[in-house]
Amino acid sequence: GGDVTVAASTVALEKASSQTMAIVQDIESRAYAFEFTIMCAYIVSVLVTIHAIYRSQKPSWSWPIVVLSSCNLTKYAFVRKFWKQPEPRITKKPFALLALVTTLVLAGASCIQLAFSHSMATLLFWAMPYAASAIVFGQFVPPLPDLHRPMRPAQADQSSMAVLTSLCLRAVLFRALEGTYYTTLLPLIFQEDKFLYYNRAICSLLVAYTFAGNVTLLSTQTFLLNKMPLVFEARNVGAWARCSKPATAAEQWHRGSLYGKAVVVEYRGAWWEALGINSTKSAPGDWFAFVAHHTWLDETGPAKTSRVLLVLAASQFAAVASQLVLTGYSLQWTPFAGLGAGSLGGMLLILSSCESSCPEERESKAAASAFKPPPRKPTPWALLSALRASAR
């Protein structure tokens, strides 16, 4: 009896381990698919921006700026590849390490060529996002929320209790601004010919489309990789909403206290009602906790029923549709055609993420379909009886 129990436990552990590895591999492949799509969108953006400014007479530093932009924005894929707590895993990935060395060599060569073909001051523009990241995040490369999840602060009045939501929103915004800066703003800044005419309205549209499209893709990637932790945070932290003065005196809000649902407190001369499902521990007026409560709270179902993914897919579809309209009616249709192709790829990736399910869901569906009886061919008598039943 003991041997049978041990064997059954071993089989159960192996099955759980295989399912866990399948889930981890599925998440990693999805993360790399988004990183590749975002990188392609950035490359398309810098190419169409240079084309919109210079047309066929491109300057000598156009290709170095394309290569350097691409190399700078691949850092997130390398961080995702090498990072593993408690220490980075660099030596165990020889092919990825070779790709990293190649990227660094190309970036260095592009820096030298850009400095000689344009000016040495251009290198300072490339260092600005790293300095901004050090100021905002305390490190030169912004953290990835699914790999560098922060600890919850002990005091709610010093920072937001919804720390993961705050990190996700700040990381998405920073990465979108960084990519837009590298791919669309720098080519405009480096343009020094006073007699060169280019359509500034089209360049402004390229900047806006690049930023909006990358916000959508980065938001989708971040949500898919941090879905359940975000849901847990929204349920654990709770939120507050302003309300009218209650008939009875309300107690003052105290840091560290838990408040049940619909409890009214007074905080800084205003009255607030607790919205948490079980309890609320965030501070009244905590904007990130409010966003977490109203955005992630009901995202417990499969991806195809997610309201967040539906909104992101609709936003990407609107961007693709408007770019197709501009491609058909604009005199300079080439930049919008390029952006439309990149946006279409991003929309297909978002839709595939909405339709895909995790490996354990696919396994359960396959097991359920194995017990279904095989479909029978309809006979005339069966169709006649079905018509009679519907008529009744």
Side-chain angles (χ1 to χ4, degrees), residues 144-157:
L144 299 176
D146 56 301
L147 298 181
H148 313 93
R149 286 173 185 158
M151 300 298 293
R152 192 176 307 282
Q155 298 181 353
D157 62 340

Side-chain angles (χ1 to χ4, degrees), residues 1-6:
D3 296 338
V4 175
T5 305
V6 172

Side-chain angles (χ1 to χ4, degrees), residues 39 43 46-47 50 61-74 102-103 105-111 113 126:
M39 176 55 58
I43 294 175
V46 67
L47 289 176
I50 292 176
W61 47 264
S62 59
W63 282 113
I65 196 174
V66 173
V67 176
L68 193 55
S69 299
S70 305
C71 293
N72 270 278
L73 296 172
T74 55
T102 304
T103 303
V105 170
L106 289 175
S110 300
C111 285
Q113 188 174 359
W126 294 100

Side-chain angles (χ1 to χ4, degrees), residues 110-321:
S110 300
C111 285
I112 295 174
Q113 188 174 359
L114 185 62
F116 280 101
S117 59
H118 196 280
S119 64
M120 292 293 295
T122 57
L123 301 181
L124 297 177
F125 288 97
W126 294 100
M128 288 178 62
Y130 292 94
S133 177
I135 295 173
V136 175
F137 299 103
Q139 56 190 51
F140 290 109
V141 179
L144 299 176
D146 56 301
L147 298 181
H148 313 93
R149 286 173 185 158
M151 300 298 293
R152 192 176 307 282
Q155 298 181 353
D157 62 340
Q158 291 186 358
S159 59
S160 173
M161 291 292 292
V163 287
L164 181 57
T165 300
S166 172
L167 178 61
C168 289
L169 295 179
R170 289 186 294 118
V172 167
L173 183 60
F174 187 91
R175 288 189 61 179
L177 288 173
E178 180 191 31
T180 306
Y181 171 78
Y182 275 134
T183 57
T184 57
L185 293 179
L186 280 188
L188 293 171
I189 295 174
F190 290 169
Q191 201 287 115
E192 295 179 341
D193 191 352
K194 298 180 180 180
F195 301 99
L196 177 65
Y197 172 79
Y198 61 93
N199 196 323
R200 288 176 171 80
I202 290 182
C203 292
S204 301
L205 283 176
L206 294 180
V207 173
Y209 273 126
T210 300
F211 177 75
N214 291 314
V215 165
T216 303
L217 287 175
L218 289 168
S219 299
T220 306
Q221 180 197 36
T222 304
F223 172 70
L224 290 173
L225 297 179
N226 302 274
K227 179 181 177 182
M228 293 313 300
L230 289 171
V231 172
F232 292 151
E233 181 176 77
R235 292 177 175 269
N236 184 40
V237 171
W240 297 87
R242 281 181 176 267
C243 62
S244 58
K245 183 177 181 180
T248 60
E251 62 175 316
Q252 290 285 338
W253 177 82
H254 297 284
R255 182 181 71 247
S257 300
L258 297 179
Y259 297 92
K261 186 177 179 62
V263 172
V264 178
V265 299
E266 184 180 355
Y267 180 70
R268 295 182 178 178
W271 288 268
W272 301 81
E273 181 182 355
L275 302 177
I277 295 180
N278 299 320
S279 62
T280 299
K281 62 174 66 174
S282 62
D286 188 339
W287 185 79
F288 290 109
F290 183 82
V291 171
H293 178 82
H294 290 278
T295 308
W296 323 124
L297 189 63
D298 298 327
E299 295 293 332
T300 55
K304 61 183 178 182
T305 62
S306 172
R307 293 181 300 176
V308 174
L309 290 180
L310 178 62
V311 171
L312 292 173
S315 302
Q316 192 73 4
F317 176 78
V320 173

